[in-house]
Amino acid sequence: MQTELSSTLGVEHAVFGFTPFPAVAAAISRAGGFGVLGAVRYAAADDLARDLDWMQEHTGGLPYGLDVVMPAKKVEGVTEADIEAMIPEEHRAFVERTLDKHGVPPLPEGAAPGWRITGWMEQVARSQLDVAFDYPIKLLANALGSPPGDIVQRAHEHGILVAALAGSPRHARHHQEAGIDIIVAQGYEAGGHTGEIATMVLTPEVVRAVDPLPVLAAGGIGTGEQIAAGLALGAQGVWLGSVWLTTEEAELHSPRLTRKLLAAGPGDTVRSRALTGKPARQLRTEWTDAWDDPAGPGPLPMPLQGLLVADALSRIQKYETEPLLGTPVGQIVGQMNTTRSVQAVFDDLTRGFERAIDRINRIAGRA
């Protein structure tokens, strides 16, 4: 599964694997793909440095990248406390009523808070990059579109390619104008923040819009046959995220959540603003249903919603409150029905890719 882009980056397969787990990212690189570690959960730069040290020790010199969350523009002088003060009391009360309905206890006194909006604030991402640029990362991806221009310049000065996610050809052209090197065309089927255009439609449109920039197809991809389809549409690789959640190396730390993922079908996800305030595909749960119910107050805009629900989600995860327990995941979850190693996933991907190519060759009369 090699393309010009994978050859440029020195990887065997044009499979780019995004994950928040260092063990998964390293295993992806060792299996011949390109592991991309998500940085949003690292509020402390020292924690990121620790895990990048670990990546260095466990990738054997193979290339890997980092994914950050940086807005192209920022509002000066706004602190987390300022944002928190904007949250209406009605919404805080709704959170507590929903948790009380399902008997979710408070966190123990003195327990460390869970993920908060700080991971989405530009100053945190900049501190992450101050650390990351000291490591031999080969790719910097940004989940909120084009990063600020000075970050693109710094990356290029370090010989690092920059990728940005796009949900429409218009977004993709904007990234091209901003000096981005690789466009990730993320379709409607994808887990996490995603737009409204399906991968099969979006990929060729983005390929045409930004030619000759390389494009990665993303959204609903988790088999070798789907990788072949993405390359046939003009992509130079694929960007996979959801499929790694049920691998043996993943660190979900929630047996109940893993079971829910393994049991879910492709119709068991929903594109909801319940998590961050922006539409994000995730497992449908009683938590997402509550926020999407017209009788409720409805989600707040980003970043208010993410800050509002952060501690509640920590409580749900800690106590594994099954009706409310969810995670961002794409529609490919319907094919994630066994726990496998990352290497086993790659073995299945390559076999499926070979089957697809053989099938096309037979149809074309080349076999």
Side-chain angles (χ1 to χ4, degrees):
M1 299 185 287
Q2 254 197 0
T3 65
E4 183 180 349
L5 178 60
S6 63
S7 297
T8 297
L9 288 167
V11 295
E12 182 181 359
H13 302 302
V15 175
F16 294 72
F18 163 79
T19 174
F21 307 125
V24 176
I28 291 168
S29 291
R30 292 197 305 270
F34 191 99
V36 181
L37 178 65
V40 70
R41 68 192 182 102
Y42 295 99
D46 288 347
D47 292 339
L48 177 60
R50 177 202 64 216
D51 282 356
L52 289 175
D53 285 337
W54 188 94
M55 290 280 293
Q56 282 294 106
E57 294 171 6
H58 292 82
T59 49
L62 295 166
Y64 63 92
L66 191 73
D67 179 279
V68 296
V69 178
M70 293 190 76
K73 299 177 182 178
K74 66 176 180 178
V75 180
E76 298 286 351
V78 177
T79 66
E80 185 177 336
D82 295 329
I83 298 171
E84 184 142 13
M86 301 176 190
I87 297 173
E89 286 303 318
E90 175 193 11
H91 282 74
R92 295 186 188 278
F94 179 76
V95 168
E96 289 305 318
R97 287 198 304 272
T98 304
L99 296 175
D100 288 346
K101 176 182 175 181
H102 293 275
V104 184
L107 291 173
E109 188 174 348
W115 174 86
R116 293 180 70 79
I117 198 65
T118 48
W120 295 74
M121 299 181 76
E122 182 178 341
Q123 61 266 34
V124 175
R126 286 185 175 275
S127 69
Q128 293 167 347
L129 290 174
D130 287 340
V131 168
F133 285 139
D134 288 334
Y135 291 82
I137 62 173
K138 300 299 182 185
L139 177 71
L140 173 64
N142 188 39
L144 282 185
S146 302
D150 65 301
I151 296 298
V152 175
Q153 181 178 346
R154 281 181 69 189
H156 287 164
E157 289 170 354
H158 283 80
I160 299 168
L161 296 179
V162 181
L165 275 64
S168 73
R170 178 176 59 84
H171 293 155
R173 284 190 289 268
H174 174 76
H175 298 337
Q176 186 179 37
E177 293 164 1
I180 302 303
D181 304 293
I182 301 169
I183 309 299
V184 181
Q186 179 164 286
Y188 173 81
E189 304 94 325
H193 293 128
T194 187
E196 298 181 348
I197 305 174
T199 304
M200 183 66 73
V201 174
L202 179 67
T203 301
E205 290 196 3
V206 170
V207 168
R208 286 192 295 270
V210 301
D211 184 60
L213 283 188
V215 172
L216 302 179
I221 300 175
T223 69
E225 288 86 351
Q226 290 167 320
I227 294 173
L231 299 187
L233 294 172
Q236 286 205 32
V238 293
W239 177 273
L240 309 185
S242 298
V243 72
W244 315 112
L245 288 172
T246 53
T247 57
E248 294 170 358
E249 293 88 347
E251 302 160 36
L252 283 180
H253 303 302
S254 173
R256 290 181 181 175
L257 178 55
T258 298
R259 287 197 297 270
K260 289 185 77 170
L261 288 168
L262 294 173
D268 292 328
T269 69
V270 63
R271 190 167 165 268
S272 170
R273 293 171 51 220
L275 186 63
T276 68
K278 280 193 172 185
R281 186 169 298 285
Q282 54 204 282
L283 274 183
R284 182 175 182 176
T285 65
E286 293 190 31
W287 177 259
T288 62
D289 286 349
W291 283 105
D292 294 338
D293 187 341
L300 296 168
M302 181 187 265
L304 300 180
Q305 182 71 11
L307 186 57
L308 168 67
V309 304
D311 287 345
L313 296 179
S314 294
R315 290 164 62 182
I316 292 167
Q317 290 162 7
K318 176 176 178 58
Y319 298 108
E320 293 197 89
T321 310
E322 194 155 345
L324 305 178
L325 192 61
T327 185
V329 68
Q331 291 180 329
I332 194 63
V333 71
Q335 298 196 46
M336 295 159 47
N337 46 28
T338 59
T339 299
R340 300 171 291 168
S341 68
V342 168
Q343 182 61 62
V345 171
F346 265 89
D347 291 342
D348 287 343
L349 293 176
T350 53
R351 283 192 291 266
F353 182 81
E354 290 167 357
R355 285 194 299 269
I357 298 303
D358 289 344
R359 187 180 302 120
I360 294 300
N361 282 335
R362 286 196 301 273
I363 292 170
R366 298 193 197 89

